[in-house]
Amino acid sequence: MLPVLVVHGGAGTIPKELVEMYSEGVRVAVRAGFAILQEGRSAMDAVVEAVTLLENNPVYNAGCGSVLNEHGNVEMDALVMDGRTLANGAVSAVRRIANAAQLARLVMEKTSHVCLTGEGASKFARAMGVPEVPEESLITDRSRKRWEKNLAPGANPVENQMGSKGTVGAVAVDSEGNVACATSTGGMLNKMEGRVGDSACVGCGGYADNRVGAVSPTGHGEAIMKVTLSRLILFHMEQGKSAQEASDEALAYMWERVQGLAGVVVVDPRGGWAARFNSLQMAWAAAQGQQLHYGVYRGEDLIQPLQDPDHHQH
Amino acid sequence: MLPVLVVHGGAGTIPKELVEMYSEGVRVAVRAGFAILQEGRSAMDAVVEAVTLLENNPVYNAGCGSVLNEHGNVEMDALVMDGRTLANGAVSAVRRIANAAQLARLVMEKTSHVCLTGEGASKFARAMGVPEVPEESLITDRSRKRWEKNLAPGANPVENQMGSKGTVGAVAVDSEGNVACATSTGGMLNKMEGRVGDSACVGCGGYADNRVGAVSPTGHGEAIMKVTLSRLILFHMEQGKSAQEASDEALAYMWERVQGLAGVVVVDPRGGWAARFNSLQMAWAAAQGQQLHYGVYRGEDLIQPLQDPDHHQH
């Protein structure tokens, strides 16, 4: 069954007029990442490539297109983990870089630490030669309008946050059976300055272990953290559950304990995979063998041939 | 058996001349925190009180006495979690406050978020009326000397870090059977600016769930994060292991997978407890019933009456 790549573009309620864009973007990303796996390259390379494309796509709440915090700034969290060694890297509340997941990978590979935050992360980025980008290049009209809407008198920021959880992520198994995950996000709309969500917190916003599998979640970060969702799913898989069973059990538990909505993409080291969510929607896509699976609504599992001439890689 | 409080003052190699001070400090803290439990107050109140005393004690690597980062600054991480609701709060890389665990509790109680970092955490502290303290008030001569030693030509910062892991923490069960944990640290000696360790990462640097128990760890943060040590121990307890068995199994696994050294204090909701470590030493103390247990070296379990007239509460 190997290799396999599964990506998501956020769980929540996607505005109708954006559904096709959300779905198209994850398909483009999964094709590009899967091509890397087909070349025999690593699961880590594939998940970072897929997430980079999603960060660069202004539709999603990561990289360009990130939601704005209370002051109108973009602060991003990201995490990567390598199932071979359990090595992981993260950045939190980092500003003015285009690709937070790539920076998280540099933290993993080039430092003895696993997480750098804020200005320290920015300084590390400069030392690594990662270009600083103007904040404006990360901000879309849609992000700014939603931020302004929440500042208006009578606004209900909590309500307006629903549907905004377009965190992106990917999990993969490469042809050698190594698993990896990557997650990247602009966080929560109108969040407080310095707010760190699950996407920078290993075991919550992602986990990868060659012995068990890999998970990347999306959704209500604070709920995901309360149940350490990624690690929880892998514990169920260690107990013999399939990726799908483990995901459904953990999502149901999260709802029961803390009324949280979220979605996950999951792989096991043999190439089994799942894309599950208890939110209304999650844009996801999976590539394996000759097929591309994808969906947005619950129960949806559409299939295209990966080589479909109408769906060239962009 | 309820209530019970267990505290630690860091795992590692404690310099001989400091062993008595390390041990005395955890006994003072456990007596103070346990008095709160005996008054019928909450596990959360008790763990925060115990950790506050340890932060204020210059012996430990938390609050006053924190190790310095590469630039000679103090940046602190802390985490609290309430087992009743799974609510948790954290701060990371926060500067110029005396008691990071109290600020983490405010994040939990006064915001819709679970973690604030850096300058955002400082602004929140000011908004909450938490006094900003001069950085010098957090820096001891010992911290500064160790930092300078690592800047000297030929210094081996990694070697000099060994023995420096005096993170502090506490776990408790109150008389109603609620569990809580608190962890606080200055992090790793000569760490990079913005480095965040396990102590701000829920599931790694602490976890508390009324259904299972509570954990606060100390040791090599990056290793603790690779195995999400706190959540791992509680998963073993969910599978029927005692606090001690679960701790030993998880510490052995951490050594096998990532060669990490750490220690933990653990409680279960019935009042069972453990203080275990695979490092050479860990200063710990536990209070339950009429007895105070404590130790520093492996296998040590010394007992004093809690009311011992020679050991008045300070």
Side-chain angles (χ1 to χ4, degrees):
Chain A
M1 297 206 290
L2 309 181
V4 60
L5 176 69
V6 195
V7 309
H8 67 73
T13 308
I14 304 171
K16 239 183 196 158
E17 66 277 15
L18 297 178
V19 164
E20 183 47 35
M21 286 168 73
Y22 265 84
S23 181
E24 175 69 14
V26 291
R27 280 177 278 160
V28 169
V30 87
R31 284 171 190 274
F34 191 66
I36 285 174
L37 295 176
Q38 287 180 309
E39 292 167 16
R41 290 166 61 196
S42 71
M44 178 57 68
D45 285 345
V47 295
V48 171
E49 174 67 12
V51 165
T52 297
L53 289 181
L54 294 166
E55 287 171 338
N56 293 345
N57 185 330
V59 168
Y60 305 102
N61 174 20
C64 173
S66 287
V67 299
L68 309 187
N69 73 8
E70 59 180 347
H71 302 307
N73 296 117
V74 170
E75 295 189 322
M76 298 165 287
D77 300 337
L79 168 72
V80 300
M81 186 161 186
D82 187 332
R84 283 178 296 196
T85 57
L86 305 183
N88 60 86
V91 289
S92 66
V94 67
R95 297 188 183 191
R96 290 183 299 279
I97 61 158
N99 298 109
Q102 289 180 18
L103 186 60
R105 184 177 184 174
L106 286 171
V107 172
M108 176 179 77
E109 293 180 345
K110 305 296 185 188
T111 80
S112 62
H113 301 322
V114 299
C115 182
L116 293 177
T117 189
E119 186 54 27
S122 295
K123 287 182 183 169
F124 170 69
R126 284 195 282 278
M128 290 286 111
V130 174
E132 188 166 312
V133 300
E135 187 163 33
E136 286 305 311
S137 73
L138 301 173
I139 301 179
T140 62
D141 282 350
R142 179 169 165 242
S143 294
R144 189 173 302 282
K145 278 187 190 134
R146 295 175 71 202
W147 173 70
E148 283 167 354
K149 193 174 162 194
N150 275 347
L151 299 180
N156 182 337
V158 172
E159 188 172 288
N160 293 344
Q161 275 165 9
M162 295 310 294
S164 73
K165 302 180 187 99
T167 294
V168 304
V171 290
V173 194
D174 62 29
S175 51
E176 296 179 0
N178 297 309
V179 305
C181 68
T183 306
S184 181
T185 190
M188 179 170 275
L189 185 58
N190 292 57
K191 63 186 179 181
M192 293 171 70
E193 178 184 348
R195 178 264 191 184
V196 179
D198 64 297
S199 301
C201 186
V202 63
C204 302
Y207 199 81
D209 181 349
N210 269 11
R211 296 185 184 177
V212 195
V215 179
S216 172
T218 166
H220 186 210
E222 279 70 8
I224 290 170
M225 294 169 91
K226 285 178 182 175
V227 302
T228 63
L229 183 64
S230 295
R231 193 67 187 92
L232 179 62
I233 288 170
L234 293 170
F235 277 110
H236 290 316
M237 290 168 67
E238 287 180 306
Q239 305 295 320
K241 298 265 165 62
S242 71
Q244 180 172 323
E245 291 165 344
S247 301
D248 289 348
E249 185 167 333
L251 289 168
Y253 171 81
M254 187 175 72
W255 179 256
E256 180 246 318
R257 277 308 283 278
V258 298
Q259 289 73 57
L261 294 178
V264 293
V265 292
V266 184
V267 289
D268 71 45
R270 296 163 303 285
W273 62 272
R276 308 295 293 176
F277 48 102
N278 66 352
S279 52
L280 278 177
Q281 286 151 281
M282 178 175 81
W284 63 271
Q288 188 170 44
Q290 306 303 320
Q291 292 189 318
L292 188 155
H293 295 251
Y294 64 102
V296 169
Y297 299 96
R298 291 219 207 149
E300 199 172 36
D301 182 2
L302 305 169
I303 303 179
Q304 289 177 348
L306 259 175
Q307 305 303 328
D308 189 330
D310 292 326
H311 292 86
H312 291 298
Q313 194 177 308
H314 295 230
Chain B
M1 298 204 289
L2 307 181
V4 60
L5 176 69
V6 195
V7 308
H8 67 72
T13 308
I14 304 170
K16 237 181 197 161
E17 66 276 17
L18 297 179
V19 164
E20 183 47 35
M21 285 167 73
Y22 265 85
S23 180
E24 174 69 14
V26 290
R27 280 177 277 159
V28 169
V30 87
R31 284 171 190 275
F34 191 67
I36 285 175
L37 294 176
Q38 287 179 310
E39 291 167 16
R41 291 168 59 196
S42 71
M44 178 58 67
D45 285 345
V47 295
V48 171
E49 174 68 13
V51 164
T52 297
L53 289 181
L54 294 167
E55 288 170 339
N56 293 345
N57 185 329
V59 168
Y60 305 101
N61 174 19
C64 174
S66 287
V67 298
L68 308 188
N69 74 6
E70 58 180 349
H71 303 308
N73 295 118
V74 170
E75 293 189 324
M76 297 165 289
D77 301 336
L79 168 72
V80 300
M81 187 162 183
D82 186 331
R84 283 177 295 195
T85 57
L86 305 184
N88 59 87
V91 290
S92 66
V94 67
R95 298 187 181 190
R96 292 183 297 278
I97 61 158
N99 298 110
Q102 290 181 15
L103 186 59
R105 184 177 184 175
L106 286 171
V107 172
M108 176 178 78
E109 292 179 345
K110 304 294 183 189
T111 81
S112 62
H113 302 321
V114 299
C115 182
L116 293 177
T117 190
E119 186 54 26
S122 295
K123 286 181 183 171
F124 171 69
R126 285 194 283 278
M128 289 286 112
V130 174
E132 187 167 311
V133 302
E135 187 162 32
E136 287 305 312
S137 73
L138 301 172
I139 300 179
T140 61
D141 282 350
R142 181 171 163 242
S143 294
R144 191 174 299 284
K145 278 188 189 132
R146 295 176 71 203
W147 174 71
E148 285 168 352
K149 195 174 160 194
N150 275 347
L151 298 180
N156 182 338
V158 172
E159 188 173 287
N160 292 345
Q161 275 165 8
M162 294 310 295
S164 73
K165 305 183 184 93
T167 295
V168 305
V171 289
V173 194
D174 62 30
S175 51
E176 294 179 1
N178 297 308
V179 305
C181 68
T183 306
S184 181
T185 190
M188 179 169 276
L189 185 58
N190 291 59
K191 65 186 179 183
M192 293 170 70
E193 179 184 346
R195 178 265 192 182
V196 180
D198 64 297
S199 301
C201 186
V202 63
C204 302
Y207 199 82
D209 181 349
N210 269 10
R211 296 185 185 176
V212 195
V215 178
S216 172
T218 166
H220 186 210
E222 279 71 6
I224 289 169
M225 293 169 92
K226 285 179 182 174
V227 303
T228 63
L229 183 65
S230 295
R231 193 65 188 91
L232 180 62
I233 288 169
L234 293 170
F235 277 110
H236 290 316
M237 290 168 67
E238 287 180 305
Q239 304 295 318
K241 298 264 166 63
S242 71
Q244 179 171 324
E245 290 165 343
S247 301
D248 289 349
E249 185 168 334
L251 289 168
Y253 171 82
M254 187 176 71
W255 178 256
E256 180 246 319
R257 277 309 283 277
V258 299
Q259 287 75 57
L261 294 177
V264 292
V265 292
V266 184
V267 289
D268 71 45
R270 297 163 301 285
W273 61 273
R276 308 294 292 176
F277 47 103
N278 67 353
S279 52
L280 278 176
Q281 288 151 279
M282 179 176 82
W284 64 271
Q288 188 170 45
Q290 306 303 319
Q291 292 189 318
L292 188 156
H293 294 251
Y294 64 102
V296 169
Y297 299 97
R298 289 218 208 151
E300 199 172 39
D301 182 2
L302 305 168
I303 303 178
Q304 291 177 348
L306 260 175
Q307 304 304 328
D308 188 330
D310 293 325
H311 292 85
H312 291 297
Q313 192 177 306
H314 293 237

